[in-house]
Amino acid sequence: MSAPARRPIRRLERGTVHRIAAGEVVERPASVVKELIENAFDAGASHVAVRIEEGGLRRIEVADDGCGIPPEELGLALERHATSKIGPSDPIERIASLGFRGEALASIATVSRLRLTSRTPDREEASGIATAGGEQPLRFEEGRSVGTTVEVADLFYNTPARRKFLHAPAVEQLEVLRAVEHLYVARPSVALRLTADGREIAGFPASEDLREATAHVLGAEMLDQSFVVEAELPGLGRIRGVLGRPNLATGSPRRFYLSVNGRTIESRAIAQAIRAAYLQYIPRTRFPIGALHLAVPLDRVDVNVHPTKREVRFARETELVEAVRIAVRRALLDCPGLARVPEIAATVRRFSPEESLEEGFSTRSESPLGPWPARTAPLGSRSVGPGAAGQRRLFERPDAPTLEARPGLPAISLLGVLDALYWVGTTPTGFVLIDQHAASERLLFEVLVADGHLARQVLVDPLTISLTPAQRAAWEVHRSTVADAGFDVEPFGGDRVRVLSVPAYRGHRARAESVRELLEELSTGTRPTQPDGMVERVAATIACHAAIRAGDAIPPDELARVLDALYERASAVYSCPHGRPILFDLPRSRIDRWFLRAGP
Ligand code: ADP
Ligand code: MG
């Protein structure tokens, strides 16, 4: 994978300059790191070492073993619109290198103290150039092996307004790590190392195997719980990738890595196509993980539409996206041991929360009926439905837990539970359906926001788990948050930690593994539909992972306790912190309408 023979750096013609999407490439340390690593890739490096201090705010250093820059071109390297990557007769419509604008070093140099040291293979020494704010470059000679080192100190020291937009070092550090992960997954043939404040936080070895590479970034489960997508998209390009099986789906969209012709990019359209490919295999609130490499003819993709080249534009995008969806869907369905689900015809009408809201589907039903007639005979404790033993439970009437009515809230008598998820109860006006995960999640969220912490239960058998570099970094940033959530975690050597306690609430305790999911989310930022404030956001994330889950078989009184506590906080009953409904009221009047019994 060596780069084509190096060409001299030259100034771009004015016409070309006008056609490139100029823009600020330097937003934060992570964007500096990205530009510098891309330069190393373009220089044919096989090893790149990144060192940062204080999240990159104090210092960033990227060293590579690429082709180097001859001393007479060092000045040009720092000049705007000077590049070795487009020749005079090259159309910018066919760009194979990652860089092409000749802007990055110039932009970085104007907002930092920059030092560039480089040695080409034909020289015995390295030459360097240093500047503060891009002014009066200074030359020097130094010992160095072949390759280039760029050091960037005091980012934004001369533009305090920009500095203000930066986050705490720990947060910037996570962003840097994420940039490194993206670049590694896009080109795992280059070894990448990240050292933060003198400690190596990620070491990604060169690998020709994408599955192995994704395992370094996404966790060892990728080795045996992933599948390969490899397909020709006729007339459009090729795709190759490794994606996690549905059980590895996570709460954040940011663990899916897409690259197009070796370039790390984001594409909503493709991300959506991937989710669509997993339809019916993962819930709508979760996102597939993995990496996809898309190769398309150079003239079918415009890489020149975004200042930081984060997005690209495809010719025939609709067709391409659909072809990607089909390829991924096929590969997913080929997974051995994947449970078959019947394909849902597009015309099947499903219940949606919107629908119910529209039709006044709330407890305050417009025409309350009389009390629900009491059953004459108790229902036996038996399962209903064919072969669903244990899945559908009905309770004996005498021990059916009940909740007293509160203002605006109905009295509920629990009848049973479907698939260890949806509970059915009766109310004075009809039925109620309750999602056990959403209810528990909402309660924990309320408690967290009110008290700032959850109760914990010490584990008799502490659980040892391994963390990915990103999860580990998130733990270091959010240690106290994780502790407040009720998870006592301690280092256990290497990439492993030990979970000593878990959050527990009213008889329910979280699974120890959920700390990984919590860290995963803390490491990838927010979910698409989250409440605003930071406290609420973190609380929502914690609540989700500490809550009773769909599929946990819990006794009715446990749910009753959750509901009772929710009733004490009446405002919280109708939706979970992520906005999903907790409870649907099905008044008799609505049921009558279904059966075409017009009301009186
Ligand atoms: P671009 O990458 O768009 O050309 P940059 O400002 O990032 O613009 O870099 C300017 C030029 O400096 C590049 O075209 C390349 O010739 C040279 N250069 C930058 N970084 C390196 C590196 N790590 N190794 C070799 N050459 C480099
Ligand atoms: Mg560049």
Side-chain angles (χ1 to χ4, degrees):
M1 253 263 217
S2 70
R6 186 184 178 280
R7 293 189 287 190
I9 305 182
R10 61 175 198 102
R11 297 192 179 94
L12 291 172
E13 280 95 43
R14 199 179 273 196
T16 312
V17 170
H18 286 306
R19 285 161 69 206
I20 63 180
E24 220 24 87
V25 295
V26 196
E27 294 166 339
R28 59 199 306 186
S31 42
V32 172
V33 168
K34 169 178 179 282
E35 293 292 340
L36 298 181
I37 296 178
E38 287 189 346
N39 279 347
F41 284 2
D42 282 343
S46 50
H47 293 88
V48 182
V50 182
R51 274 192 185 77
I52 58 172
E53 280 167 33
E54 294 179 22
L57 303 171
R58 160 132 225 88
R59 200 166 165 282
I60 297 166
E61 178 191 302
V62 176
D64 69 50
D65 56 0
C67 64
I69 307 172
E72 64 278 10
E73 290 180 28
L74 287 173
L76 273 178
L78 298 190
E79 209 172 284
R80 201 169 290 267
H81 306 312
T83 180
S84 59
K85 300 172 192 175
I86 311 189
S89 51
D90 295 348
I92 63 165
E93 288 71 27
R94 299 182 60 94
I95 294 164
S97 56
L98 298 174
F100 56 86
R101 294 176 180 149
E103 264 193 334
L105 289 182
S107 313
I108 298 166
T110 37
V111 293
S112 68
R113 300 180 219 280
L114 183 142
R115 211 167 169 275
L116 171 71
T117 319
S118 195
R119 180 179 151 197
T120 48
D122 55 336
R123 299 188 69 246
E124 298 295 315
E125 286 249 280
S127 304
I129 186 167
T131 161
E135 307 287 333
Q136 298 162 351
L138 219 92
R139 306 296 191 119
F140 56 90
E141 304 272 300
E142 200 171 272
R144 194 203 182 286
S145 51
V146 172
T148 303
T149 302
V150 180
E151 295 161 78
V152 176
D154 303 325
L155 190 61
F156 300 141
Y157 80 99
N158 52 355
T159 51
R162 298 263 285 290
R163 224 187 148 85
K164 262 193 255 154
F165 286 100
L166 296 174
H167 296 268
V171 176
E172 295 298 338
Q173 179 176 318
L174 258 172
E175 284 301 314
V176 170
L177 172 59
R178 205 196 321 277
V180 171
E181 288 174 346
H182 267 277
L183 288 152
Y184 173 66
V185 172
R187 195 172 300 194
S189 57
V190 179
L192 282 179
R193 209 147 26 104
L194 174 62
T195 306
D197 302 315
R199 206 166 56 81
E200 177 168 315
I201 63 169
F204 300 131
S207 168
E208 294 304 328
D209 180 22
L210 185 57
R211 190 190 293 257
E212 209 177 274
T214 58
H216 287 297
V217 168
L218 294 167
E221 304 85 39
M222 283 300 282
L223 292 177
D224 54 359
Q225 295 175 58
S226 61
F227 59 96
V228 171
V229 186
E230 185 129 42
E232 200 70 52
L233 313 176
L236 298 162
R238 276 189 66 71
I239 106 174
R240 204 167 67 82
V242 178
L243 293 167
R245 290 175 63 113
N247 58 303
L248 296 188
T250 140
S252 161
R254 299 183 74 174
R255 299 306 255 167
F256 167 65
Y257 299 83
L258 176 64
S259 68
V260 175
N261 296 345
R263 185 184 299 282
T264 286
I265 65 146
E266 283 167 23
S267 159
R268 263 179 85 90
I270 293 182
Q272 270 167 4
I274 307 299
R275 291 190 80 193
Y278 279 73
L279 198 69
Q280 295 163 281
Y281 284 98
I282 56 177
R284 287 157 66 135
T285 48
R286 305 194 62 85
F287 299 81
I289 68 171
L292 270 195
H293 292 181
L294 196 56
V296 299
L298 290 179
D299 54 1
R300 293 280 176 72
V301 54
D302 186 355
V303 296
N304 191 24
V305 294
H306 192 275
T308 64
K309 299 170 268 175
R310 194 183 295 142
E311 290 164 21
V312 297
R313 190 182 297 133
F314 299 104
R316 295 165 66 191
E317 175 168 292
T318 318
E319 277 167 81
L320 179 71
V321 163
E322 180 58 7
V324 167
R325 185 191 69 82
I326 291 170
V328 172
R329 181 71 173 181
R330 286 211 181 113
L332 171 67
L333 294 180
D334 277 348
C335 274
L338 192 77
R340 293 284 144 206
V341 294
E343 297 279 335
I344 296 176
T347 48
V348 171
R349 211 160 150 261
R350 270 174 288 174
F351 244 11
S352 71
E354 297 81 6
E355 177 190 3
S356 56
L357 290 175
E358 240 164 61
E359 297 183 26
F361 198 2
S362 86
T363 34
R364 274 152 286 215
S365 68
E366 319 86 318
S367 55
L369 298 173
W372 192 244
R375 265 195 312 271
T376 42
L379 273 168
S381 189
R382 60 201 153 92
S383 64
V384 292
Q391 302 241 306
R392 281 138 217 227
R393 283 187 292 141
L394 289 176
F395 310 125
E396 298 271 359
R397 180 86 181 158
D399 45 40
T402 53
L403 278 146
E404 275 170 42
R406 305 275 162 90
L409 297 168
I412 298 176
S413 174
L414 291 175
L415 278 184
V417 62
L418 177 67
D419 298 338
L421 171 57
Y422 296 122
W423 292 71
V424 185
T426 54
T427 68
T429 56
F431 285 108
V432 69
L433 289 174
I434 300 154
D435 177 324
Q436 71 181 33
H437 171 70
S440 162
E441 183 180 8
R442 179 78 212 195
L443 175 61
L444 298 184
F445 173 77
E446 294 290 323
V447 171
L448 265 163
V449 170
D451 303 351
H453 61 90
L454 290 176
R456 67 197 60 218
Q457 185 172 328
V458 173
L459 295 175
V460 184
D461 265 331
L463 182 78
T464 307
I465 53 177
S466 42
L467 300 179
T468 64
Q471 289 161 357
R472 172 131 201 147
W475 177 52
E476 270 153 29
V477 177
H478 299 288
R479 247 175 221 243
S480 65
T481 307
V482 172
D484 287 344
F487 290 107
D488 284 320
V489 178
E490 63 176 29
F492 200 63
D495 61 352
R496 301 191 319 154
V497 293
R498 228 147 59 114
V499 184
L500 305 174
S501 79
V502 295
Y505 194 80
R506 304 211 178 183
H508 175 76
R509 61 173 225 203
R511 299 169 320 128
E513 293 82 2
S514 55
V515 74
R516 285 190 60 183
E517 293 157 32
L518 174 61
L519 289 170
E520 182 61 35
E521 260 179 56
L522 293 173
S523 81
T524 49
T526 61
R527 307 218 266 170
T529 51
Q530 281 201 318
D532 286 324
M534 188 59 194
V535 175
E536 279 80 6
R537 236 182 273 163
V538 171
T541 300
I542 294 171
C544 179
H545 295 300
I548 297 167
R549 301 166 67 87
D552 286 352
I554 55 166
D557 39 308
E558 186 171 335
L559 185 83
R561 279 197 300 267
V562 167
L563 290 176
D564 199 51
L566 271 177
Y567 264 32
E568 286 165 22
R569 306 157 197 263
S571 69
V573 176
Y574 287 99
S575 71
C576 82
H578 299 110
R580 279 194 299 123
I582 290 176
L583 177 150
F584 274 132
D585 205 3
L586 278 173
R588 162 78 195 261
S589 56
R590 183 180 170 96
I591 299 169
D592 283 346
R593 263 185 276 136
W594 287 343
F595 288 98
L596 306 179
R597 280 177 194 275

